[in-house]
Amino acid sequence: MYIPKIVIVGRPNVGKSSLFNWIVGKRLSIVDPQAGVTRDWMSSEIEIEGRVFEIFDTGGMGILDPDNLTEDIENQIQTAIEMADMILYVVDAREGVVSLDEHVARRLRRLAIPILCVANKVDHPKFENHIHDFYRFGWDIISVSAKEKRGRDELQEYILEHLPEKMQRDMGEDADSKMLDMDSVMKIAIVGRRNTGKSTFVNTLVKFPRMIVSNVAGTTRDSVNVQFEMDGKKFIAVDTPGFRRRVSVKTNVDYYGTHRAQRSVRFADVTLMFFDCSSQISKVDKQLVAYIAQENKPCIFVVNKWDLMKDHMKTDAWADYLRDTFPTMWHVPIAFITGQTGKNVKTLLNHAQMLFKQARTRVHTSKLNRLVRAALMYSPPPLYRTTRPKIYFATQTGILPPTIVLFCNNPDMFSPTYRRYMLSVIRDQLDFGEVPIRLFFRKREANDKRDDVEAHLAEVREKKQNAASLKKQEEIQAWFEAQAYYEEKYHAQIQTLQEEEPETEVDMDEFPGEDMDFPVNENEAAHMEEEDSFLEENDNSETEEKDFDLSQETFLKPGGEVFLVDDDFGDTDE
């Protein structure tokens, strides 16, 4: 289904980003008095009265960028205009017509699409007279105030009336389902410090220069959502501004950029943490990884620009460097890519989909309880003072990330070490090997009598104790019967000796007993085994049938996968 595109244009500081946020109903674009804050165009799909369209916010036309990115910004604006089905030309009603407004109007007159002049900053009815000068451009004018929320209904009504006819036919009754589809699309946040190749990676995904790329640190100032497709599936990649040290955040733009990047991490399904293989891991990287871990987001460590380093270092060395730097993130997979050429990009996205699937996995309660029982039997928790910690049952209460609650007699009885042990068992034995897991110990309510773990373990312990007691009794009985057997044999031998040598004096009542080494040969042992059942091991005690095989090797497995596959994302359409 085709989605109409409405593009907001105008000179700098006329309120384009404010108008964009106001129409969308979210704070997506950074709004700041500083001119030229918006560089890459922003977009968002919205629905009005059952009609869906995509609206774009662009940079200011005619801006002289201090980082010499003026040409790149103009190219971004021109690209958005060429895609537009309708233009909202924003002007400042308070300042009136200026020469740069005339320049923008001349560029727009060549377009054969509907154009509406939106006179912004009409914060009070007394400013209505200021809009008459803009009629010289020859387009319809609507006065609004994004700051004071004035004129929105008239603006929306005009947009709906002037969408081209072909788009009205294409929209139909699928608008709601289209919006639902967009909500279910997998969102990938691309984060990292500045100049790690995030924007280049996004351009590789969409296969056209969607983002401005330069060697200037901090080129990307806002989090930008970019839609793309791979193998028939839709994705949203969120390019974020490069993180900076907190002490280096001095301007409003830096502050907003950092917080938008953090928001992108919070709302993403999977996070790609970018590293530059030619640079050491910095304090900023550590702060960002800590934030990702705090938000419990599935993550992949992406070592970018690997083509520059592959002849000088092995992947294992860089992977070990990451593992040693982030010892609590051993479950995170590591990818080595070249974002500029597309090497390993498809493999990376496939692995991101696998993490997304892991994070949405649900485990049946009975299976989870069986695993908890196996973990408790393999390594019971140590006594807390004089009380034994008990776990009654376990259940999964959520996904994204997987959230598991263990109901016990007292959460304080379980040490951090034992909590990490339980977490490692769950990660190793269930389908959560490379995603974060939230594990909670909660005290069972007094009126809650459910006990799927402790009662079963108590039964198993009782069986083991009974079996051990029975075995001990059998061993004692076997000892006495063995003594009786050898005593009888001893007396028989003495009697034979007396018959052969009558002069030999022997005390018939004397028997060495337990101090005597019984001379049992193989024939005698076989004879005793046939005659005396007390020497047969016959333990018929029931043993628990385990679904999970825990062993020492279980907790020595390596962390997340490290993959380096020679593929080329640019050839996926062939």
Side-chain angles (χ1 to χ4, degrees), residues 282-470:
S282 66
K283 185 177 180 179
V284 176
D285 295 321
K286 296 177 182 178
Q287 292 174 348
L288 183 50
V289 170
Y291 186 79
I292 295 172
Q294 174 186 327
E295 295 298 325
N296 295 295
K297 290 298 178 180
C299 177
I300 300 178
F301 289 157
V302 181
V303 183
N304 195 19
K305 308 179 185 179
W306 189 243
D307 57 324
L308 304 177
M309 188 62 63
K310 64 181 180 180
D311 296 331
H312 307 284
M313 180 181 291
K314 295 182 178 180
T315 56
D316 292 343
W318 235 101
D320 292 340
Y321 179 38
L322 282 170
R323 299 296 189 207
D324 294 339
T325 306
F326 306 106
T328 61
M329 304 286 282
W330 270 75
H331 62 278
V332 175
I334 302 174
F336 293 83
I337 72 166
T338 303
Q340 188 171 16
T341 63
K343 290 293 183 182
N344 308 321
V345 170
K346 184 176 181 180
T347 305
L348 172 61
L349 292 178
N350 288 336
H351 209 84
Q353 293 183 75
M354 187 183 70
L355 294 189
F356 186 44
K357 182 179 180 180
Q358 284 186 25
R360 293 186 299 172
T361 299
R362 286 191 178 273
V363 178
H364 198 276
T365 300
S366 61
K367 181 178 180 180
L368 190 58
N369 285 324
R370 291 197 302 271
L371 176 59
V372 172
R373 290 199 298 262
L376 292 172
M377 291 181 63
Y378 177 79
S379 179
L383 291 177
Y384 180 79
R385 298 174 183 171
T386 59
T387 307
R388 183 167 57 84
K390 299 179 181 179
I391 296 178
Y392 299 108
F393 66 95
T395 184
Q396 182 178 354
T397 60
I399 58 174
L400 294 172
T403 303
I404 296 175
V405 179
L406 304 180
F407 290 89
C408 56
N409 53 347
N410 188 348
D412 295 335
M413 294 183 178
F414 295 88
S415 65
T417 301
Y418 199 81
R419 291 170 184 253
R420 288 192 295 270
Y421 160 73
M422 292 297 300
L423 188 63
S424 65
V425 171
I426 294 172
R427 187 183 302 284
D428 181 85
Q429 298 294 322
L430 300 180
D431 297 329
F432 305 136
E434 295 180 321
V435 296
I437 303 171
R438 299 175 67 197
L439 181 64
F440 298 100
F441 286 74
R442 185 177 300 172
K443 186 175 181 179
R444 189 180 66 170
E445 298 292 338
N447 58 351
D448 189 356
K449 302 303 181 183
R450 182 176 178 182
D451 191 349
D452 297 332
V453 176
E454 178 58 29
H456 184 85
L457 291 178
E459 182 180 349
V460 172
R461 284 194 294 267
E462 183 179 358
K463 289 181 179 180
K464 287 187 174 182
Q465 290 175 356
N466 294 337
S469 177
L470 178 61

Side-chain angles (χ1 to χ4, degrees), residues 412-572:
D412 295 335
M413 294 183 178
F414 295 88
S415 65
T417 301
Y418 199 81
R419 291 170 184 253
R420 288 192 295 270
Y421 160 73
M422 292 297 300
L423 188 63
S424 65
V425 171
I426 294 172
R427 187 183 302 284
D428 181 85
Q429 298 294 322
L430 300 180
D431 297 329
F432 305 136
E434 295 180 321
V435 296
I437 303 171
R438 299 175 67 197
L439 181 64
F440 298 100
F441 286 74
R442 185 177 300 172
K443 186 175 181 179
R444 189 180 66 170
E445 298 292 338
N447 58 351
D448 189 356
K449 302 303 181 183
R450 182 176 178 182
D451 191 349
D452 297 332
V453 176
E454 178 58 29
H456 184 85
L457 291 178
E459 182 180 349
V460 172
R461 284 194 294 267
E462 183 179 358
K463 289 181 179 180
K464 287 187 174 182
Q465 290 175 356
N466 294 337
S469 177
L470 178 61
K471 185 177 180 180
K472 186 66 176 178
Q473 293 176 3
E474 290 177 348
E475 289 176 351
I476 294 174
Q477 180 183 358
W479 173 251
F480 283 113
E481 292 182 0
Q483 280 195 327
Y485 172 83
Y486 282 106
E487 182 177 3
E488 180 181 354
K489 185 176 180 179
Y490 173 76
H491 288 163
Q493 291 176 348
I494 295 300
Q495 185 176 2
T496 302
L497 179 62
Q498 285 183 332
E499 291 175 355
E500 293 177 354
E501 301 180 8
E503 65 280 3
T504 304
E505 295 183 3
V506 180
D507 186 359
M508 295 294 292
D509 295 330
E510 183 180 354
F511 176 64
E514 61 183 15
D515 295 332
M516 178 180 177
D517 293 331
F518 298 124
V520 181
N521 56 38
E522 295 181 359
N523 294 331
E524 290 177 336
H527 178 70
M528 291 176 60
E529 185 174 354
E530 292 175 358
E531 292 183 354
D532 303 302
S533 61
F534 60 83
L535 290 179
E536 297 181 1
E537 294 186 2
N538 185 23
D539 185 6
N540 294 323
S541 60
E542 296 182 4
T543 57
E544 182 190 17
E545 221 175 276
K546 296 181 181 179
D547 292 339
F548 297 93
D549 182 18
L550 303 185
S551 62
Q552 188 64 30
E553 290 74 17
T554 299
F555 312 104
L556 297 178
K557 291 185 178 180
E561 182 179 352
V562 179
F563 52 93
L564 175 64
V565 183
D566 190 16
D567 70 345
D568 192 341
F569 184 71
D571 296 336
T572 56

Side-chain angles (χ1 to χ4, degrees), residues 64-284:
L64 296 178
D65 189 82
D67 295 326
N68 297 322
L69 298 176
T70 300
E71 182 178 354
D72 296 303
I73 296 174
E74 289 292 335
N75 290 336
Q76 287 276 303
I77 297 172
Q78 186 60 34
T79 301
I81 291 176
E82 291 174 356
M83 296 187 303
D85 298 301
M86 183 177 182
I87 295 291
L88 299 183
Y89 172 35
V90 183
V91 294
D92 188 337
R94 290 188 176 186
E95 293 186 4
V97 179
V98 298
S99 59
L100 199 51
D101 290 326
E102 296 279 4
H103 169 72
V104 175
R106 284 194 295 271
R107 289 184 58 179
L108 298 179
R109 284 194 181 97
R110 295 171 294 187
L111 302 177
I113 57 176
I115 299 176
L116 172 65
C117 183
V118 180
N120 193 21
K121 303 184 181 181
V122 184
D123 301 335
H124 192 274
K126 66 181 180 180
F127 295 118
E128 291 286 349
N129 295 331
H130 294 191
I131 69 173
H132 297 298
D133 291 340
F134 295 102
Y135 279 105
R136 71 175 70 176
F137 298 142
W139 298 308
D140 294 333
I141 299 177
I142 290 181
S143 60
V144 301
S145 172
K147 179 181 178 182
E148 299 296 333
K149 310 295 188 293
R150 298 184 69 247
R152 180 171 181 173
D153 293 340
E154 293 82 353
L155 177 60
Q156 291 181 352
E157 182 179 352
Y158 187 93
I159 291 174
L160 296 179
E161 289 179 357
H162 290 79
L163 286 177
E165 289 296 327
K166 64 172 184 178
M167 299 170 201
Q168 294 182 17
R169 289 195 302 268
D170 290 338
M171 297 306 297
E173 300 178 355
D174 294 333
D176 293 338
S177 62
K178 179 64 179 178
M179 295 298 290
L180 292 175
D181 290 341
M182 293 308 300
D183 290 339
S184 63
V185 169
M186 176 178 166
K187 296 174 285 296
I188 306 172
I190 304 165
V191 300
R193 69 174 187 267
R194 304 194 295 178
N195 274 6
T196 55
K198 301 184 296 297
S199 296
T200 302
F201 176 76
V202 171
N203 290 344
T204 301
L205 294 178
V206 299
K207 301 180 182 179
F208 88 97
R210 170 63 178 84
M211 305 297 300
I212 297 175
V213 176
S214 81
N215 294 325
V216 177
T219 299
T220 303
R221 289 178 167 176
D222 205 344
S223 295
V224 181
N225 295 352
V226 181
Q227 300 180 23
F228 68 98
E229 290 190 13
M230 186 188 74
D231 296 337
K233 295 182 179 180
K234 292 186 177 181
F235 301 87
I236 296 179
V238 186
D239 186 19
T240 62
F243 272 71
R244 307 181 65 182
R245 296 180 60 186
R246 294 185 180 96
V247 296
S248 301
V249 178
K250 298 179 180 179
T251 67
N252 289 342
V253 175
D254 294 335
Y255 175 82
Y256 293 139
T258 299
H259 280 264
R260 296 293 172 84
Q262 291 177 341
R263 183 180 65 182
S264 299
V265 171
R266 292 195 299 270
F267 288 97
D269 298 314
V270 178
T271 302
L272 304 183
M273 175 63 197
F274 269 59
F275 298 91
D276 186 342
C277 66
S278 61
S279 303
Q280 291 184 339
I281 297 175
S282 66
K283 185 177 180 179
V284 176

Side-chain angles (χ1 to χ4, degrees), residues 30-42:
I30 294 178
V31 177
D32 190 81
Q34 176 183 340
V37 171
T38 303
R39 287 175 172 172
D40 301 288
W41 45 265
M42 299 277 293

